[in-house]
Amino acid sequence: MLPRKKAVLNINKLNIGSSVIYFILLLFIVTFPDFIKLLINYNDQFGDIPRSVFFIQIVVFYPLQIIFLGLISITSIAVIGLGLNKLLERKLRFALLWKMAIHASTIPLFLYALINNLYSVNTYISVFLILILFFILYKIILVFPKPKKK
């Protein structure tokens, strides 16, 4: 479940554009079932909205909102990662922590999508998934050695 040391060290070599594209594709895969549910339930839940307005909202605004909220969330996780970085006495830059947060979120996001489609997500499940995310981020940060003291 946890990434290997070589894979973690390779995150440092990725450019930020690749990580952002990876994250957007990950969000698309995770939210695709919800997107389909919205389209199927148009008449039941959104019948009073004109179909053209509804499709513009779903096709344009829904993905943009998901991407925006995802990037805000990853940035918040990376900021918390800065705190972990200090506690663990590592010397990692914010950009690297941001990429680490993106890649650490893969398993929790897939678990969220699975649970959301099979059951319903509640507060306890959400907290559990967030704890998994921070545990993975913690383990990733531990891969990097402490700087040598002079």
Side-chain angles (χ1 to χ4, degrees):
M1 182 169 145
L2 295 175
R4 291 184 172 79
K5 184 175 182 174
K6 185 177 179 182
V8 169
L9 295 174
N10 282 337
I11 291 174
N12 196 18
K13 296 176 185 174
L14 291 174
N15 65 27
I16 201 81
S18 300
S19 294
V20 170
I21 290 171
Y22 168 78
F23 187 63
I24 290 171
L25 289 174
L26 180 65
L27 287 176
F28 176 75
I29 291 168
V30 167
T31 59
F32 189 71
D34 291 333
F35 181 75
I36 297 300
K37 285 179 192 174
L38 282 172
L39 291 175
I40 290 172
N41 294 330
Y42 167 74
N43 290 330
D44 297 337
Q45 295 178 351
F46 308 103
D48 54 337
I49 300 174
R51 191 173 289 273
S52 60
V53 172
F54 175 75
F55 284 115
I56 289 172
Q57 288 177 341
I58 295 301
V59 173
V60 176
F61 296 122
Y62 181 71
L64 289 176
Q65 178 186 11
I66 294 297
I67 291 168
F68 176 74
L69 292 174
L71 293 176
I72 295 290
S73 299
I74 289 298
T75 303
S76 302
I77 292 165
V79 167
I80 294 170
L82 278 174
L84 275 172
N85 183 35
K86 293 279 188 210
L87 284 172
L88 297 172
E89 299 175 354
R90 301 304 196 268
K91 198 171 182 180
L92 302 173
R93 295 173 323 212
F94 182 77
L96 180 58
L97 287 166
W98 200 79
K99 289 189 284 186
M100 287 178 181
I102 286 176
H103 294 280
S105 68
T106 302
I107 293 170
L109 279 174
F110 276 124
L111 287 175
Y112 170 81
L114 183 69
I115 293 167
N116 188 37
N117 288 309
L118 297 178
Y119 308 105
S120 65
V121 177
N122 60 33
T123 306
Y124 299 113
I125 292 172
S126 297
V127 168
F128 178 70
L129 293 173
I130 290 169
L131 289 175
I132 290 174
L133 171 68
F134 285 117
F135 177 74
I136 294 170
L137 186 62
Y138 168 79
K139 290 304 238 180
I140 289 173
I141 291 172
L142 282 180
V143 167
F144 289 87
K146 289 183 180 181
K148 294 179 182 178
K149 294 184 180 184
K150 294 179 180 181

